[in-house]
Amino acid sequence: MANKKRLELSSDWVTTARMCEVLSCTRQHLQHLRNEKILKLNKHYRNISPQAARPTFRWHEENVQRAIEAFRVSINDRDSPENLTAMRSEE
């Protein structure tokens, strides 16, 4: 039997179930964040079963939390009273 090298992941990489628990979100929400490119392959998540019919993801807990926080800040900045006033004055 051939030796297969397994991808060794540090404990920073967690299952989808754990990531959903940490974020209090659904699997579908994580999928949405992937599809919208808010979360990036190999930085925020990895497919640990690339040959399988369905992917099995592991999530970098800290990187995901940072990305979501940065996204929230960018949304809040966009919707800040100062920016909304500036956008209205440009119309």
Side-chain angles (χ1 to χ4, degrees):
M1 186 187 315
N3 270 342
K4 290 187 177 181
K5 286 187 179 181
R6 292 195 59 164
L7 179 61
E8 294 295 326
L9 298 175
S10 72
S11 61
D12 295 336
W13 294 91
V14 299
T15 64
T16 299
R18 173 67 183 147
M19 197 73 252
C20 289
E21 183 180 309
V22 167
L23 298 175
S24 298
C25 73
T26 64
R27 291 173 182 265
Q28 290 80 8
H29 186 68
L30 286 176
Q31 181 180 1
H32 173 75
L33 295 172
R34 282 194 335 263
N35 292 345
E36 293 298 317
K37 308 292 188 222
I38 295 164
L39 300 179
K40 311 269 190 274
L41 181 63
N42 294 323
K43 180 174 184 179
H44 302 109
Y45 66 96
R46 293 180 178 172
N47 181 1
I48 63 166
S49 59
Q51 306 304 322
R54 293 185 344 175
T56 300
F57 294 113
R58 291 296 181 264
W59 305 85
H60 194 282
E61 189 172 332
E62 186 176 333
N63 289 351
V64 169
Q65 288 178 318
R66 283 185 191 157
I68 291 172
E69 182 58 31
F71 180 72
R72 285 182 181 149
V73 167
S74 72
I75 294 296
N76 289 340
D77 285 349
R78 183 193 70 196
D79 294 340
S80 71
E82 298 83 16
N83 284 342
L84 291 174
T85 302
M87 288 173 18
R88 285 187 194 116
S89 66
E90 292 173 3
E91 293 177 347

